[in-house]
Amino acid sequence: PSSSTPSGGTVRVPLGSLDAMQRTGFVALAAVASLVVSADAVGLLRSRSRQEPDTACGKGFDSLVKGSQDYYRTAAVELWTHPSHVSDNATFEAEFECWFASMCTTKCGGLPSQADSRKKELTDTCRNVQIDWLKVWNMFSQEEIKWFKKNYPSNEVQDEGEDTVHYKQAMETAKEVNKKELLCLTLFTIDDECVKWPHIRMG
């Protein structure tokens, strides 16, 4: 067998060498095809990842009915009264709206309202700027504590021994900075049946 050169002449190629060249070419083509498939697979995974919705905020605040959105607006005014936190409902608006939307979407995990037994105390506690978050936390039932810990979207995701990192760090920051207000919002939302009124119902 012969093969053309760039100058137009011919050169004889031993049969064994030709077979080796064909095998090498086949392997190279197979490798290229494999890389193309792998790249396509990675691209597909990335595309799917981008398309998968973030369900941490339920259906999202903007998807809530107007009455539920109005409820949150009144709660954000009534519950954020501490002089140091009065503007935090705006600073962390996206985070608090996210949690509220999650509660509404999941109907607060089916937790029953306890308005009849605690609404007055809850109202007094949440309005009193001298009382800290711990008293509100002590008003949670065991079922509510389990549900809150499981569903509030700020789970730790770091390996042991590393600095603490959370799935949604901004959600964790909002919780730590405004813990009392967040807990009050949670219990009022549950007690107002998650939610059936266009405004927060104070006791």
Side-chain angles (χ1 to χ4, degrees):
S2 61
S3 176
S4 298
T5 66
S7 59
T10 59
V11 58
R12 292 189 176 278
V13 180
L15 191 59
S17 298
L18 182 60
D19 289 341
M21 291 171 62
Q22 289 174 334
R23 285 196 299 270
T24 300
F26 177 78
V27 171
L29 287 173
V32 170
S34 176
L35 287 172
V36 171
V37 171
S38 297
D40 287 344
V42 171
L44 180 60
L45 288 173
R46 287 175 176 169
S47 176
R48 286 178 177 174
S49 177
R50 287 193 296 268
Q51 291 173 2
E52 289 175 358
D54 183 355
T55 58
C57 302
K59 295 179 180 179
F61 186 83
D62 291 341
S63 296
L64 298 178
V65 298
K66 184 178 183 302
S68 295
Q69 293 184 15
D70 290 344
Y71 179 99
Y72 173 79
R73 299 301 180 204
T74 63
V77 173
E78 294 288 348
L79 300 178
W80 270 262
T81 58
H82 192 286
S84 299
H85 299 167
V86 71
S87 63
D88 287 352
N89 56 5
T91 302
F92 296 105
E93 181 179 58
E95 287 70 37
F96 296 132
E97 287 183 350
C98 171
W99 174 232
F100 181 76
S102 174
M103 289 192 287
C104 290
T105 301
T106 62
K107 301 299 181 184
C108 297
L111 292 166
S113 169
Q114 298 188 48
D116 291 342
S117 62
R118 71 181 173 196
K119 179 59 75 75
K120 185 180 186 307
E121 182 184 5
L122 179 63
T123 298
D124 293 343
T125 301
C126 291
R127 279 179 166 171
N128 189 337
V129 298
Q130 303 300 320
I131 299 176
D132 66 12
W133 65 271
L134 189 57
K135 186 170 182 180
V136 183
W137 184 242
N138 288 336
M139 297 174 71
F140 276 64
S141 68
Q142 287 302 309
E143 291 75 16
E144 289 167 342
I145 289 173
K146 291 178 183 177
W147 171 79
F148 180 82
K149 289 184 174 180
K150 180 180 179 181
N151 290 278
Y152 187 79
S154 66
N155 297 329
E156 295 181 9
V157 296
Q158 90 288 355
D159 293 330
E160 187 175 348
E162 296 180 358
D163 291 338
T164 301
V165 176
H166 293 82
Y167 159 58
K168 283 185 172 293
Q169 190 64 47
M171 295 294 292
E172 179 66 14
T173 301
K175 182 183 74 173
E176 291 304 309
V177 173
N178 288 248
K179 188 172 291 186
K180 179 183 176 182
E181 290 83 358
L182 179 67
L183 296 179
C184 286
L185 174 65
T186 301
L187 288 189
F188 268 102
T189 301
I190 293 172
D191 287 351
D192 286 342
E193 300 180 49
C194 210
V195 289
K196 289 189 175 180
W197 293 269
H199 58 83
I200 189 172
R201 298 195 307 159
M202 311 300 285

